Amino acid sequence: MSNAAKFGKVAVLFGGKSAERAVSLDSGQAVLEALLRSGVQAEAFDPQDRSVTELVGYDRAFIVLHGRGGEDGQIQGVLEWLNLPYTGTGVQGSAIGMDKVKTKQIWQGSDLPTAPYRIVTKDTDLDAVIAELGLPVIIKPVHEGSSVGMSKVEKAEDFAAAIEKATQHDAVVMAEKWITGREFTISFLNGQPLPVIRLQPPADVAFYDYEAKYQRNDVEYGIPCGLSESEEKSLQALCLRAFQAVGAEGWGRIDAMQDEQGNFWLLEVNTVPGMTSHSLVPKAAQAVGYNFDQLCVAILEQTLATSA
């Protein structure tokens, strides 16, 4: 690619210290190789092994750090301080997007439909939570991604163990009403929604968990997603409003459910989605004609607008 020189020297940030390090290493390696194939002068940069002060030697950064430190505004703040253009969402949108409760509060305040929830601890009156949310519920660490530490709880006696498991990953834990229905994911490129994907985990999986996301090969990805054209447009418009409401920019992903009555419910936003062989953004981009290398270059091109 002859015009790759316009990017200068690019740090591909991946690895890091979060619970999602392993996924980030896979994603980052894939992005690095794609940029190199496209003629970009790209180099791996793992903040676990190197001081972020060394980033001063680069012209821009492609962030593929999943989880804390990479997806929560921290590395974005460093890059802002260094005046280095970077991919994806800024400091505030990243911090909000990484916090599932803050995200929900903003969506609720914007009249966007999201599943009811409660923050829970080992001391919470769980009977009151069950009375409010019903069973089953899903227990989630508030500041983790990739379904780390999540559990579906179908019986009251399993509640405490699920909270304990989530607490190993985060001091703040939430219980969210379980939505029975179909799960969809909506990816964004250049701030615009791509075709909706329907996620169909195998019958023995309770939900689209870490194993289903990264380790299994029997998850079905529906493109087209099975919604009518008007429903798909409606879901894309809803998710675009949700994406913008939290301050997300450029590329990312929103997960949503459609309940058995046909209503859509927003689950969460992902501002640095996976870029592995199993990942969803590349699948959605492929549906509109981007191969993986072209997708990575298109995401990197977003840094040119911020460096003008």
Side-chain angles (χ1 to χ4, degrees), residues 7 60-62 85-88 298-308:
F7 295 118
R60 64 200 67 249
F62 194 124
Y86 56 89
T87 53
I299 293 169
L300 186 60
E301 278 177 341
Q302 295 163 12
T303 64
L304 296 173
T306 57
S307 60

Side-chain angles (χ1 to χ4, degrees), residues 32 38 60 68 106 120 137 156 169 199 218 254 263 271 286:
L32 176 65
S38 303
R60 64 200 67 249
R68 296 186 216 194
I106 285 174
V120 291
V137 295
H169 299 277
L199 305 176
D218 52 358
I254 283 183
N263 304 304
T271 56
Q286 189 176 11

Side-chain angles (χ1 to χ4, degrees), residues 52-300:
V52 291
T53 57
E54 294 180 47
L55 287 166
V56 294
Y58 293 87
D59 296 299
R60 64 200 67 249
F62 194 124
I63 301 173
V64 209
L65 288 164
H66 304 316
R68 296 186 216 194
E71 209 166 344
D72 57 2
Q74 289 188 42
I75 196 69
Q76 289 80 5
V78 169
L79 293 165
E80 293 276 353
W81 185 255
L82 297 174
N83 202 26
L84 216 63
Y86 56 89
T87 53
T89 296
V91 177
Q92 179 176 287
S94 298
I96 292 167
M98 192 69 204
D99 187 317
K100 294 180 175 68
V101 170
K102 292 284 186 289
T103 296
K104 279 181 170 291
Q105 288 169 338
I106 285 174
W107 285 345
Q108 288 172 332
S110 306
D111 287 329
L112 295 167
T114 185
Y117 73 97
R118 283 276 302 275
I119 293 175
V120 291
T121 69
K122 63 182 190 322
D123 302 318
T124 299
D125 180 349
L126 298 181
D127 291 335
V129 175
I130 292 167
E132 183 180 342
L133 301 179
L135 285 172
V137 295
I138 188 152
I139 304 296
K140 300 177 176 181
V142 169
H143 303 97
E144 289 289 356
S146 291
S147 305
V148 169
M150 282 169 45
S151 308
K152 181 182 181 182
V153 173
E154 302 189 59
K155 302 194 295 287
E157 57 264 32
D158 297 335
F159 224 120
I163 292 173
E164 176 64 27
K165 175 183 172 184
T167 305
Q168 291 169 13
H169 299 277
D170 194 352
V172 188
V173 174
M174 64 190 275
E176 184 180 66
K177 180 182 174 68
W178 181 266
I179 306 289
T180 300
R182 299 192 289 175
E183 183 168 356
F184 298 96
T185 192
I186 300 81
S187 298
F188 294 84
L189 183 62
N190 298 320
Q192 294 301 310
L194 294 172
V196 176
I197 300 178
R198 183 183 176 198
L199 305 176
Q200 185 72 48
D204 64 326
V205 173
F207 60 95
Y208 189 54
D209 61 6
Y210 186 94
E211 184 188 358
K213 282 177 176 165
Y214 302 114
Q215 293 160 353
R216 296 182 65 135
N217 293 309
D218 52 358
V219 178
E220 292 177 25
Y221 302 97
I223 311 178
C225 63
L227 294 169
S228 69
E229 188 179 347
S230 64
E231 278 184 315
E232 180 163 8
K233 280 193 164 60
S234 170
L235 179 56
Q236 286 173 316
L238 171 68
C239 290
L240 180 58
R241 284 174 58 206
F243 193 72
Q244 293 170 340
V246 298
E249 300 170 61
W251 76 298
R253 213 185 72 230
I254 283 183
D255 300 327
M257 296 289 298
Q258 184 185 41
D259 67 21
E260 291 169 317
Q261 289 71 47
N263 304 304
F264 290 120
W265 297 91
L266 299 161
L267 297 181
E268 55 191 73
V269 63
N270 192 328
T271 56
V272 185
M275 291 288 277
T276 69
S277 58
H278 282 60
S279 296
L280 299 162
V281 175
K283 293 180 193 297
Q286 189 176 11
V288 291
Y290 286 86
N291 66 32
F292 188 79
D293 292 8
Q294 291 166 333
L295 170 62
C296 292
V297 170
I299 293 169
L300 186 60

